[in-house]
Amino acid sequence: MFNFASGPGQLPAEVLKRAQAEMLNWHGSGLSVLEMPFSSDEYREIAASATSDLRKLLNLPVDYHILFLQGGAYAHFALLAMNLMGNIAAADYIQTGHWSGRAIHEARRYGRINIAASAEPAGFNRIPPFAEWRLDPAAAYCHITTNETANGVQFHWLPDTGDVPLVADMTSDFLARQLDVSRFGLVYASAQKNVGPAGLTIVIIRDSLLDQCLDITPAVFNYGLQASSNSRINTPPIYSVYMAGLIFTWLLDMGGLTAVERRNKQKADRLYAAIDADSFYLCPVVPTDRSQMNVCFHLSDPSLKIEFLNQAEKQGLLNLKGHGVTGGIRASLYNAMPPEGVDALIGFMQDFSAGHSTLR
Ligand SMILES: *Cc1c(COP(=O)(O)O)cnc(C)c1O
C-alpha cells in the first residue's frame, strides 16, 4: 500500500515500528509515553532531545526558539497575528492559493492586511514574481505559504523583505528540503503533513519578535510566555512531540535535509515528467513553481476521474483525490513516500492511459 494522502500523511514504517516497540514501556521507565506526566523527567528528556535534533537538522541559529504548541496551523493563522501585531497592526500577505487565503481571512481580525501580491487572477497556477509584490515597508511582517497543499504550487526562492520579518506557513513542506531559518522571523507548521501525527504545531521564532503580542493573546498561545516555559505552560501534545522526535532521528539517520531534498526532488521530477509526457494528463501549474510535495493534476477527460481513483485504490495507491476546491488528482509525496511508491503510481498511470486511449 502507498498512501498519497495530503494529511495526515504517510509515516515511515520504521518509525511506526519503533513507536510500537516502545508503546508499553518507554526506555525502561515502565510507562507508556501516552501516560507520562508532562512535568516528568522522562517527558522533559523526550522534548529536549526532539528540540536538539530539530536544531541540528536545521542548523538553527542560537537566537531562535522552537515551540511545541497545539491548535494546528489554522489556529496559528490568528495566533501569529496576535503575537506579532502588538506594535504595528498591519501586515503584508502573499496570496498563492487556498491556505494563504485562510491565513489572510483569520489575520484580518487583528490588523490591516495588505495583499501585496496575489496569484488569484492566474487561477493560482504560479507564485507571483517578486517584481509584482507591493510591500509595505512599515508592516509588522510579511507572510508567505511556502507550499500550497491544495493548489500544488511551491516557492523555490525566497523574497528579500528587508527589515520586515518574513513569516512562513510551512505546514506541507517543513523538513522536506534544506531550510535557512535565519531568512525568517517566524516559521510554523502543523506536524501531520510531513513531520508526525496531528496535534502538534511547531513554531520557530526569532527571539527579537517575542515581545510584540496583543494584550488579548491567550497565555497558552503567547509565543513569548511559551518560549520562557519550554512550551509547558499547559499540557503539551506529548505523544505527538515524541513521534516528531522519532521522525527527526529518522531524518538525521537518512543524512539530514540535503539527502532528503535530493530524494524528494527526484520523486517529484519523475512524476511530473510522466504527466508532461502524456497528453492524457495535465498539470496546470507553471513548471518553475510546481510543488515537490503535492503533485496536482487533471485527466484530460475529467469524466474518467472516479474510475481512475477506484482502479488506483485496487492497486494499493490510496487517497489520490484532489482537494475539494481544486478537484482533480493530487499525489502527496511527503518524506515518508518511498521512490517505489512514485514508480508504482507512474506505472499505473501509464497503464490507465494506454487502456483508455485504445478505447477512444
Ligand atoms: C493542512 C494545512 C493547514 C491547516 O493545518 P491544520 O493542522 O488542519 O490547522 C495550514 N496550512 C497549510 C499549508 C496546510 O497544508
PDB file of all heavy atoms in Angstrom, residues 91-122:
ATOM      1  N   ALA A  91       0.027  44.107   8.286  1.00  0.00           N
ATOM      2  CA  ALA A  91       0.915  43.065   7.765  1.00  0.00           C
ATOM      3  C   ALA A  91       0.681  42.851   6.277  1.00  0.00           C
ATOM      4  O   ALA A  91      -0.412  43.104   5.767  1.00  0.00           O
ATOM      5  CB  ALA A  91       0.683  41.756   8.531  1.00  0.00           C
ATOM      6  N   ASP A  92       1.737  42.400   5.612  1.00  0.00           N
ATOM      7  CA  ASP A  92       1.658  42.041   4.190  1.00  0.00           C
ATOM      8  C   ASP A  92       1.403  40.543   4.056  1.00  0.00           C
ATOM      9  O   ASP A  92       1.990  39.740   4.794  1.00  0.00           O
ATOM     10  CB  ASP A  92       2.992  42.354   3.493  1.00  0.00           C
ATOM     11  CG  ASP A  92       3.172  43.843   3.225  1.00  0.00           C
ATOM     12  OD1 ASP A  92       2.164  44.570   3.160  1.00  0.00           O
ATOM     13  OD2 ASP A  92       4.333  44.269   3.072  1.00  0.00           O
ATOM     14  N   TYR A  93       0.584  40.169   3.101  1.00  0.00           N
ATOM     15  CA  TYR A  93       0.356  38.750   2.805  1.00  0.00           C
ATOM     16  C   TYR A  93       0.495  38.516   1.302  1.00  0.00           C
ATOM     17  O   TYR A  93       0.059  39.344   0.501  1.00  0.00           O
ATOM     18  CB  TYR A  93      -1.047  38.304   3.265  1.00  0.00           C
ATOM     19  CG  TYR A  93      -1.097  37.930   4.734  1.00  0.00           C
ATOM     20  CD1 TYR A  93      -1.029  38.913   5.717  1.00  0.00           C
ATOM     21  CD2 TYR A  93      -1.180  36.593   5.135  1.00  0.00           C
ATOM     22  CE1 TYR A  93      -1.053  38.571   7.066  1.00  0.00           C
ATOM     23  CE2 TYR A  93      -1.212  36.238   6.484  1.00  0.00           C
ATOM     24  CZ  TYR A  93      -1.144  37.232   7.445  1.00  0.00           C
ATOM     25  OH  TYR A  93      -1.163  36.884   8.770  1.00  0.00           O
ATOM     26  N   ILE A  94       1.070  37.385   0.951  1.00  0.00           N
ATOM     27  CA  ILE A  94       1.142  36.978  -0.449  1.00  0.00           C
ATOM     28  C   ILE A  94       0.120  35.856  -0.624  1.00  0.00           C
ATOM     29  O   ILE A  94       0.186  34.824   0.059  1.00  0.00           O
ATOM     30  CB  ILE A  94       2.567  36.474  -0.816  1.00  0.00           C
ATOM     31  CG1 ILE A  94       3.625  37.492  -0.376  1.00  0.00           C
ATOM     32  CG2 ILE A  94       2.659  36.197  -2.312  1.00  0.00           C
ATOM     33  CD1 ILE A  94       3.471  38.893  -0.935  1.00  0.00           C
ATOM     34  N   GLN A  95      -0.800  36.078  -1.548  1.00  0.00           N
ATOM     35  CA  GLN A  95      -1.904  35.120  -1.736  1.00  0.00           C
ATOM     36  C   GLN A  95      -1.557  34.171  -2.890  1.00  0.00           C
ATOM     37  O   GLN A  95      -1.508  34.576  -4.048  1.00  0.00           O
ATOM     38  CB  GLN A  95      -3.193  35.881  -2.050  1.00  0.00           C
ATOM     39  CG  GLN A  95      -4.413  35.001  -2.003  1.00  0.00           C
ATOM     40  CD  GLN A  95      -5.693  35.771  -2.308  1.00  0.00           C
ATOM     41  OE1 GLN A  95      -5.656  36.895  -2.813  1.00  0.00           O
ATOM     42  NE2 GLN A  95      -6.827  35.160  -2.022  1.00  0.00           N
ATOM     43  N   THR A  96      -1.315  32.926  -2.519  1.00  0.00           N
ATOM     44  CA  THR A  96      -0.851  31.971  -3.534  1.00  0.00           C
ATOM     45  C   THR A  96      -1.776  30.773  -3.690  1.00  0.00           C
ATOM     46  O   THR A  96      -1.488  29.881  -4.496  1.00  0.00           O
ATOM     47  CB  THR A  96       0.560  31.464  -3.156  1.00  0.00           C
ATOM     48  OG1 THR A  96       0.585  31.174  -1.745  1.00  0.00           O
ATOM     49  CG2 THR A  96       1.624  32.509  -3.457  1.00  0.00           C
ATOM     50  N   GLY A  97      -2.878  30.744  -2.896  1.00  0.00           N
ATOM     51  CA  GLY A  97      -3.776  29.597  -3.018  1.00  0.00           C
ATOM     52  C   GLY A  97      -4.694  29.481  -1.824  1.00  0.00           C
ATOM     53  O   GLY A  97      -4.866  30.430  -1.050  1.00  0.00           O
ATOM     54  N   HIS A  98      -5.246  28.288  -1.647  1.00  0.00           N
ATOM     55  CA  HIS A  98      -6.261  28.044  -0.617  1.00  0.00           C
ATOM     56  C   HIS A  98      -5.790  28.420   0.789  1.00  0.00           C
ATOM     57  O   HIS A  98      -6.460  29.147   1.515  1.00  0.00           O
ATOM     58  CB  HIS A  98      -6.643  26.557  -0.657  1.00  0.00           C
ATOM     59  CG  HIS A  98      -7.561  26.146   0.446  1.00  0.00           C
ATOM     60  ND1 HIS A  98      -8.900  26.482   0.454  1.00  0.00           N
ATOM     61  CD2 HIS A  98      -7.342  25.453   1.600  1.00  0.00           C
ATOM     62  CE1 HIS A  98      -9.456  26.001   1.554  1.00  0.00           C
ATOM     63  NE2 HIS A  98      -8.546  25.377   2.259  1.00  0.00           N
ATOM     64  N   TRP A  99      -4.605  27.934   1.191  1.00  0.00           N
ATOM     65  CA  TRP A  99      -4.203  28.106   2.591  1.00  0.00           C
ATOM     66  C   TRP A  99      -3.779  29.528   2.910  1.00  0.00           C
ATOM     67  O   TRP A  99      -4.057  30.041   3.996  1.00  0.00           O
ATOM     68  CB  TRP A  99      -3.138  27.088   2.986  1.00  0.00           C
ATOM     69  CG  TRP A  99      -3.738  25.724   3.172  1.00  0.00           C
ATOM     70  CD1 TRP A  99      -3.516  24.617   2.411  1.00  0.00           C
ATOM     71  CD2 TRP A  99      -4.711  25.328   4.157  1.00  0.00           C
ATOM     72  NE1 TRP A  99      -4.283  23.565   2.859  1.00  0.00           N
ATOM     73  CE2 TRP A  99      -5.021  23.973   3.920  1.00  0.00           C
ATOM     74  CE3 TRP A  99      -5.352  25.987   5.201  1.00  0.00           C
ATOM     75  CZ2 TRP A  99      -5.942  23.262   4.704  1.00  0.00           C
ATOM     76  CZ3 TRP A  99      -6.259  25.288   5.983  1.00  0.00           C
ATOM     77  CH2 TRP A  99      -6.547  23.936   5.731  1.00  0.00           C
ATOM     78  N   SER A 100      -3.103  30.204   1.981  1.00  0.00           N
ATOM     79  CA  SER A 100      -2.779  31.606   2.264  1.00  0.00           C
ATOM     80  C   SER A 100      -4.061  32.418   2.341  1.00  0.00           C
ATOM     81  O   SER A 100      -4.156  33.376   3.117  1.00  0.00           O
ATOM     82  CB  SER A 100      -1.813  32.175   1.222  1.00  0.00           C
ATOM     83  OG  SER A 100      -2.280  31.929  -0.085  1.00  0.00           O
ATOM     84  N   GLY A 101      -5.079  32.024   1.589  1.00  0.00           N
ATOM     85  CA  GLY A 101      -6.380  32.694   1.667  1.00  0.00           C
ATOM     86  C   GLY A 101      -6.988  32.569   3.057  1.00  0.00           C
ATOM     87  O   GLY A 101      -7.498  33.531   3.630  1.00  0.00           O
ATOM     88  N   ARG A 102      -6.913  31.364   3.647  1.00  0.00           N
ATOM     89  CA  ARG A 102      -7.420  31.149   5.011  1.00  0.00           C
ATOM     90  C   ARG A 102      -6.616  31.998   6.008  1.00  0.00           C
ATOM     91  O   ARG A 102      -7.160  32.567   6.946  1.00  0.00           O
ATOM     92  CB  ARG A 102      -7.317  29.672   5.420  1.00  0.00           C
ATOM     93  CG  ARG A 102      -8.064  28.655   4.572  1.00  0.00           C
ATOM     94  CD  ARG A 102      -9.560  28.742   4.728  1.00  0.00           C
ATOM     95  NE  ARG A 102     -10.082  29.622   3.713  1.00  0.00           N
ATOM     96  CZ  ARG A 102     -11.148  30.409   3.817  1.00  0.00           C
ATOM     97  NH1 ARG A 102     -11.829  30.427   4.927  1.00  0.00           N
ATOM     98  NH2 ARG A 102     -11.536  31.175   2.843  1.00  0.00           N
ATOM     99  N   ALA A 103      -5.296  32.040   5.804  1.00  0.00           N
ATOM    100  CA  ALA A 103      -4.423  32.794   6.718  1.00  0.00           C
ATOM    101  C   ALA A 103      -4.787  34.285   6.692  1.00  0.00           C
ATOM    102  O   ALA A 103      -4.843  34.941   7.739  1.00  0.00           O
ATOM    103  CB  ALA A 103      -2.952  32.593   6.326  1.00  0.00           C
ATOM    104  N   ILE A 104      -5.050  34.797   5.508  1.00  0.00           N
ATOM    105  CA  ILE A 104      -5.431  36.208   5.350  1.00  0.00           C
ATOM    106  C   ILE A 104      -6.755  36.469   6.070  1.00  0.00           C
ATOM    107  O   ILE A 104      -6.904  37.427   6.828  1.00  0.00           O
ATOM    108  CB  ILE A 104      -5.540  36.552   3.843  1.00  0.00           C
ATOM    109  CG1 ILE A 104      -4.146  36.577   3.223  1.00  0.00           C
ATOM    110  CG2 ILE A 104      -6.281  37.872   3.626  1.00  0.00           C
ATOM    111  CD1 ILE A 104      -4.148  36.535   1.701  1.00  0.00           C
ATOM    112  N   HIS A 105      -7.710  35.576   5.860  1.00  0.00           N
ATOM    113  CA  HIS A 105      -9.033  35.738   6.450  1.00  0.00           C
ATOM    114  C   HIS A 105      -8.948  35.806   7.978  1.00  0.00           C
ATOM    115  O   HIS A 105      -9.600  36.637   8.620  1.00  0.00           O
ATOM    116  CB  HIS A 105      -9.908  34.562   6.018  1.00  0.00           C
ATOM    117  CG  HIS A 105     -11.319  34.676   6.453  1.00  0.00           C
ATOM    118  ND1 HIS A 105     -12.222  35.496   5.832  1.00  0.00           N
ATOM    119  CD2 HIS A 105     -11.983  34.075   7.474  1.00  0.00           C
ATOM    120  CE1 HIS A 105     -13.387  35.406   6.445  1.00  0.00           C
ATOM    121  NE2 HIS A 105     -13.270  34.548   7.438  1.00  0.00           N
ATOM    122  N   GLU A 106      -8.142  34.958   8.570  1.00  0.00           N
ATOM    123  CA  GLU A 106      -8.025  34.923  10.031  1.00  0.00           C
ATOM    124  C   GLU A 106      -7.292  36.149  10.573  1.00  0.00           C
ATOM    125  O   GLU A 106      -7.638  36.668  11.627  1.00  0.00           O
ATOM    126  CB  GLU A 106      -7.295  33.644  10.461  1.00  0.00           C
ATOM    127  CG  GLU A 106      -8.076  32.368  10.202  1.00  0.00           C
ATOM    128  CD  GLU A 106      -9.364  32.304  11.008  1.00  0.00           C
ATOM    129  OE1 GLU A 106      -9.308  32.439  12.233  1.00  0.00           O
ATOM    130  OE2 GLU A 106     -10.436  32.132  10.386  1.00  0.00           O
ATOM    131  N   ALA A 107      -6.244  36.588   9.854  1.00  0.00           N
ATOM    132  CA  ALA A 107      -5.411  37.688  10.362  1.00  0.00           C
ATOM    133  C   ALA A 107      -6.148  39.020  10.307  1.00  0.00           C
ATOM    134  O   ALA A 107      -5.845  39.943  11.071  1.00  0.00           O
ATOM    135  CB  ALA A 107      -4.109  37.766   9.552  1.00  0.00           C
ATOM    136  N   ARG A 108      -7.130  39.115   9.431  1.00  0.00           N
ATOM    137  CA  ARG A 108      -7.838  40.390   9.238  1.00  0.00           C
ATOM    138  C   ARG A 108      -8.487  40.926  10.511  1.00  0.00           C
ATOM    139  O   ARG A 108      -8.727  42.106  10.627  1.00  0.00           O
ATOM    140  CB  ARG A 108      -8.925  40.227   8.161  1.00  0.00           C
ATOM    141  CG  ARG A 108      -8.362  40.380   6.770  1.00  0.00           C
ATOM    142  CD  ARG A 108      -9.426  40.887   5.787  1.00  0.00           C
ATOM    143  NE  ARG A 108      -8.756  41.334   4.572  1.00  0.00           N
ATOM    144  CZ  ARG A 108      -8.840  40.697   3.400  1.00  0.00           C
ATOM    145  NH1 ARG A 108      -9.604  39.638   3.271  1.00  0.00           N
ATOM    146  NH2 ARG A 108      -8.179  41.151   2.361  1.00  0.00           N
ATOM    147  N   ARG A 109      -8.784  40.032  11.461  1.00  0.00           N
ATOM    148  CA  ARG A 109      -9.416  40.475  12.711  1.00  0.00           C
ATOM    149  C   ARG A 109      -8.479  41.306  13.568  1.00  0.00           C
ATOM    150  O   ARG A 109      -8.918  41.966  14.498  1.00  0.00           O
ATOM    151  CB  ARG A 109      -9.843  39.257  13.525  1.00  0.00           C
ATOM    152  CG  ARG A 109     -11.080  38.613  12.989  1.00  0.00           C
ATOM    153  CD  ARG A 109     -11.568  37.547  13.974  1.00  0.00           C
ATOM    154  NE  ARG A 109     -12.123  36.477  13.175  1.00  0.00           N
ATOM    155  CZ  ARG A 109     -11.549  35.307  12.993  1.00  0.00           C
ATOM    156  NH1 ARG A 109     -10.440  35.013  13.613  1.00  0.00           N
ATOM    157  NH2 ARG A 109     -12.105  34.428  12.205  1.00  0.00           N
ATOM    158  N   TYR A 110      -7.180  41.242  13.313  1.00  0.00           N
ATOM    159  CA  TYR A 110      -6.222  41.818  14.263  1.00  0.00           C
ATOM    160  C   TYR A 110      -5.445  43.002  13.711  1.00  0.00           C
ATOM    161  O   TYR A 110      -4.688  43.622  14.433  1.00  0.00           O
ATOM    162  CB  TYR A 110      -5.251  40.721  14.749  1.00  0.00           C
ATOM    163  CG  TYR A 110      -6.021  39.530  15.229  1.00  0.00           C
ATOM    164  CD1 TYR A 110      -6.192  38.399  14.418  1.00  0.00           C
ATOM    165  CD2 TYR A 110      -6.666  39.561  16.458  1.00  0.00           C
ATOM    166  CE1 TYR A 110      -6.957  37.330  14.843  1.00  0.00           C
ATOM    167  CE2 TYR A 110      -7.442  38.488  16.884  1.00  0.00           C
ATOM    168  CZ  TYR A 110      -7.590  37.377  16.073  1.00  0.00           C
ATOM    169  OH  TYR A 110      -8.357  36.340  16.496  1.00  0.00           O
ATOM    170  N   GLY A 111      -5.624  43.310  12.441  1.00  0.00           N
ATOM    171  CA  GLY A 111      -4.889  44.448  11.896  1.00  0.00           C
ATOM    172  C   GLY A 111      -5.223  44.633  10.428  1.00  0.00           C
ATOM    173  O   GLY A 111      -6.052  43.903   9.855  1.00  0.00           O
ATOM    174  N   ARG A 112      -4.573  45.619   9.826  1.00  0.00           N
ATOM    175  CA  ARG A 112      -4.824  45.916   8.425  1.00  0.00           C
ATOM    176  C   ARG A 112      -3.972  44.977   7.575  1.00  0.00           C
ATOM    177  O   ARG A 112      -2.760  44.891   7.755  1.00  0.00           O
ATOM    178  CB  ARG A 112      -4.435  47.381   8.141  1.00  0.00           C
ATOM    179  CG  ARG A 112      -4.852  47.890   6.781  1.00  0.00           C
ATOM    180  CD  ARG A 112      -4.654  49.403   6.689  1.00  0.00           C
ATOM    181  NE  ARG A 112      -3.338  49.823   7.197  1.00  0.00           N
ATOM    182  CZ  ARG A 112      -2.204  49.693   6.526  1.00  0.00           C
ATOM    183  NH1 ARG A 112      -2.187  49.174   5.335  1.00  0.00           N
ATOM    184  NH2 ARG A 112      -1.071  50.110   7.066  1.00  0.00           N
ATOM    185  N   ILE A 113      -4.629  44.250   6.683  1.00  0.00           N
ATOM    186  CA  ILE A 113      -3.904  43.280   5.863  1.00  0.00           C
ATOM    187  C   ILE A 113      -3.765  43.832   4.444  1.00  0.00           C
ATOM    188  O   ILE A 113      -4.764  44.184   3.804  1.00  0.00           O
ATOM    189  CB  ILE A 113      -4.652  41.930   5.833  1.00  0.00           C
ATOM    190  CG1 ILE A 113      -4.800  41.358   7.253  1.00  0.00           C
ATOM    191  CG2 ILE A 113      -3.931  40.937   4.915  1.00  0.00           C
ATOM    192  CD1 ILE A 113      -3.520  41.187   8.019  1.00  0.00           C
ATOM    193  N   ASN A 114      -2.535  43.904   3.995  1.00  0.00           N
ATOM    194  CA  ASN A 114      -2.251  44.318   2.627  1.00  0.00           C
ATOM    195  C   ASN A 114      -1.901  43.068   1.818  1.00  0.00           C
ATOM    196  O   ASN A 114      -0.929  42.376   2.124  1.00  0.00           O
ATOM    197  CB  ASN A 114      -1.067  45.307   2.635  1.00  0.00           C
ATOM    198  CG  ASN A 114      -0.521  45.569   1.242  1.00  0.00           C
ATOM    199  OD1 ASN A 114      -1.282  45.764   0.295  1.00  0.00           O
ATOM    200  ND2 ASN A 114       0.811  45.574   1.119  1.00  0.00           N
ATOM    201  N   ILE A 115      -2.722  42.762   0.815  1.00  0.00           N
ATOM    202  CA  ILE A 115      -2.362  41.638  -0.056  1.00  0.00           C
ATOM    203  C   ILE A 115      -1.352  42.177  -1.061  1.00  0.00           C
ATOM    204  O   ILE A 115      -1.710  42.842  -2.043  1.00  0.00           O
ATOM    205  CB  ILE A 115      -3.607  41.039  -0.727  1.00  0.00           C
ATOM    206  CG1 ILE A 115      -4.536  40.518   0.385  1.00  0.00           C
ATOM    207  CG2 ILE A 115      -3.225  39.921  -1.692  1.00  0.00           C
ATOM    208  CD1 ILE A 115      -5.798  39.878  -0.089  1.00  0.00           C
ATOM    209  N   ALA A 116      -0.082  41.948  -0.762  1.00  0.00           N
ATOM    210  CA  ALA A 116       0.998  42.577  -1.520  1.00  0.00           C
ATOM    211  C   ALA A 116       1.141  41.976  -2.917  1.00  0.00           C
ATOM    212  O   ALA A 116       1.672  42.620  -3.824  1.00  0.00           O
ATOM    213  CB  ALA A 116       2.316  42.451  -0.749  1.00  0.00           C
ATOM    214  N   ALA A 117       0.683  40.759  -3.076  1.00  0.00           N
ATOM    215  CA  ALA A 117       0.679  40.127  -4.396  1.00  0.00           C
ATOM    216  C   ALA A 117      -0.301  38.970  -4.338  1.00  0.00           C
ATOM    217  O   ALA A 117      -0.473  38.350  -3.277  1.00  0.00           O
ATOM    218  CB  ALA A 117       2.066  39.613  -4.772  1.00  0.00           C
ATOM    219  N   SER A 118      -0.957  38.694  -5.466  1.00  0.00           N
ATOM    220  CA  SER A 118      -1.914  37.589  -5.497  1.00  0.00           C
ATOM    221  C   SER A 118      -1.841  36.859  -6.830  1.00  0.00           C
ATOM    222  O   SER A 118      -1.764  37.480  -7.888  1.00  0.00           O
ATOM    223  CB  SER A 118      -3.340  38.111  -5.289  1.00  0.00           C
ATOM    224  OG  SER A 118      -4.262  37.042  -5.451  1.00  0.00           O
ATOM    225  N   ALA A 119      -1.891  35.547  -6.745  1.00  0.00           N
ATOM    226  CA  ALA A 119      -1.925  34.738  -7.959  1.00  0.00           C
ATOM    227  C   ALA A 119      -3.352  34.333  -8.300  1.00  0.00           C
ATOM    228  O   ALA A 119      -3.570  33.492  -9.163  1.00  0.00           O
ATOM    229  CB  ALA A 119      -1.040  33.500  -7.789  1.00  0.00           C
ATOM    230  N   GLU A 120      -4.332  34.938  -7.627  1.00  0.00           N
ATOM    231  CA  GLU A 120      -5.723  34.570  -7.882  1.00  0.00           C
ATOM    232  C   GLU A 120      -6.130  34.796  -9.347  1.00  0.00           C
ATOM    233  O   GLU A 120      -6.772  33.931  -9.944  1.00  0.00           O
ATOM    234  CB  GLU A 120      -6.664  35.319  -6.935  1.00  0.00           C
ATOM    235  CG  GLU A 120      -8.070  34.752  -6.962  1.00  0.00           C
ATOM    236  CD  GLU A 120      -8.947  35.302  -5.843  1.00  0.00           C
ATOM    237  OE1 GLU A 120      -8.640  36.390  -5.315  1.00  0.00           O
ATOM    238  OE2 GLU A 120      -9.940  34.634  -5.513  1.00  0.00           O
ATOM    239  N   PRO A 121      -5.744  35.959  -9.946  1.00  0.00           N
ATOM    240  CA  PRO A 121      -6.141  36.164 -11.353  1.00  0.00           C
ATOM    241  C   PRO A 121      -5.622  35.062 -12.279  1.00  0.00           C
ATOM    242  O   PRO A 121      -6.230  34.767 -13.303  1.00  0.00           O
ATOM    243  CB  PRO A 121      -5.497  37.513 -11.710  1.00  0.00           C
ATOM    244  CG  PRO A 121      -5.248  38.203 -10.411  1.00  0.00           C
ATOM    245  CD  PRO A 121      -5.005  37.112  -9.409  1.00  0.00           C
ATOM    246  N   ALA A 122      -4.496  34.449 -11.894  1.00  0.00           N
ATOM    247  CA  ALA A 122      -3.920  33.392 -12.726  1.00  0.00           C
ATOM    248  C   ALA A 122      -4.455  32.016 -12.324  1.00  0.00           C
ATOM    249  O   ALA A 122      -3.939  30.984 -12.768  1.00  0.00           O
ATOM    250  CB  ALA A 122      -2.398  33.420 -12.625  1.00  0.00           C
TER     251      ALA A 122
END
